[in-house]
Structure formats: C-alpha cells, structure tokens
Amino acid sequence: MYDMIPFTTTTTKKQYKTGSRWDPFQEFFGTVVYSAATDIKESDEAFTLETELPGYDKSEISVNMKEGVLTIHAEHKEEAESGKEYIRRERTWQTVKRSFEVTGVDAAGITAEYVNGILRLTLPKLPEVIPQQHQIEIQ
C-alpha cells in the first residue's frame, strides 16, 4: 500500500516509508507538484526525451529553454462543473514539472511532438568544436 503514495518534488526533506517526500498537508492544501516519468536516449546526432503526460491536452503543456535548462510544465485547468455532485472523486487536477540541465544542444533546433500521452522532444547536438593547432616558429 505504501508503494501507491505519490512522489512529489516539494522542498520537504522528511523521508517517509517509501523514500518519497510525500506530504499529506501539502496535498490537502493543493500545493503538490508531481514529477513526470521521462526516458532519455542518445544518438550520434541528438538526445531524445520521452515524457509521460497522459490526459493532458497540447494546450496545457509548455516547454521552455532558458540558460541551459529545459523545463517541461503541464497543468490541467480545472473547470467549474455546476450541478455535479460526486460521491467519490479520485482524479485530481495537478501540475507536472520537470527540468533538465542540457549542454551542447542546439536550442533553436529542438522539436516537440505530443502523441498518445507521450511528449517526445528531440534535442539536436551542436557539432563538436575541435581546437585548431597553430605551429609557432621559434627564432
């Protein structure tokens, strides 16, 4: 049962039985930010990040690159549902945020696609700079 407790990225340092930093009080007050599972692949030409964001619409997802940090942010916009009275409600509105420090990437060439709940980012690598050697003549 403890394995079902969500992992949060709060600033709380207290560790619970699963090793997560889940804080029920922050969840109660609605300040929880969940972390999205991400796979990272590398090829000779690029890095590929695949992030699970099921249930989000493309308009609810943003990807930003600033000062070498790539940030993925997804947030559901809760809509008022008048006339609906829930007996039980387990699906909550949540914010998902992941940041990655990336270097050696062509920021202008980054592409993104969102298909079936998976956000796929392709980060092309910058060409490797090989320092030129200059022979200095000794007199």
Side-chain angles (χ1 to χ4, degrees), residues 13 16 20 27 32-33 46 50 54 70 87 102 121 125 130:
K13 298 295 182 193
Y16 291 84
S20 73
E27 184 172 329
V32 175
V33 177
E50 295 178 342
L70 178 77
I87 296 171
V102 292
L121 300 170
K125 293 181 180 180
I130 301 172

Side-chain angles (χ1 to χ4, degrees), residues 15-84:
Q15 296 292 314
Y16 291 84
K17 289 186 179 184
T18 62
S20 73
R21 296 179 303 202
W22 177 66
D23 185 348
F25 296 105
Q26 287 192 359
E27 184 172 329
F28 178 77
F29 291 108
T31 58
V32 175
V33 177
Y34 292 94
S35 180
T38 302
D39 294 335
I40 303 173
K41 301 175 190 174
E42 182 180 8
S43 67
D44 292 338
E45 300 83 30
F47 295 100
T48 303
L49 280 72
E50 295 178 342
T51 302
E52 291 181 347
L53 296 171
Y56 288 92
D57 189 67
K58 270 198 265 189
S59 63
E60 297 175 318
I61 302 170
S62 68
V63 180
N64 298 309
M65 177 85 157
K66 182 178 179 183
E67 297 178 3
V69 177
L70 178 77
T71 302
I72 300 168
H73 183 260
E75 183 174 7
H76 282 299
K77 306 293 187 213
E78 185 171 3
E79 299 174 8
E81 297 181 21
S82 61
K84 292 187 179 181

Side-chain angles (χ1 to χ4, degrees), residues 3-17:
D3 293 331
M4 305 274 304
I5 296 173
F7 174 78
T8 64
T9 56
T10 62
T11 57
T12 306
K13 298 295 182 193
K14 186 173 182 178
Q15 296 292 314
Y16 291 84
K17 289 186 179 184

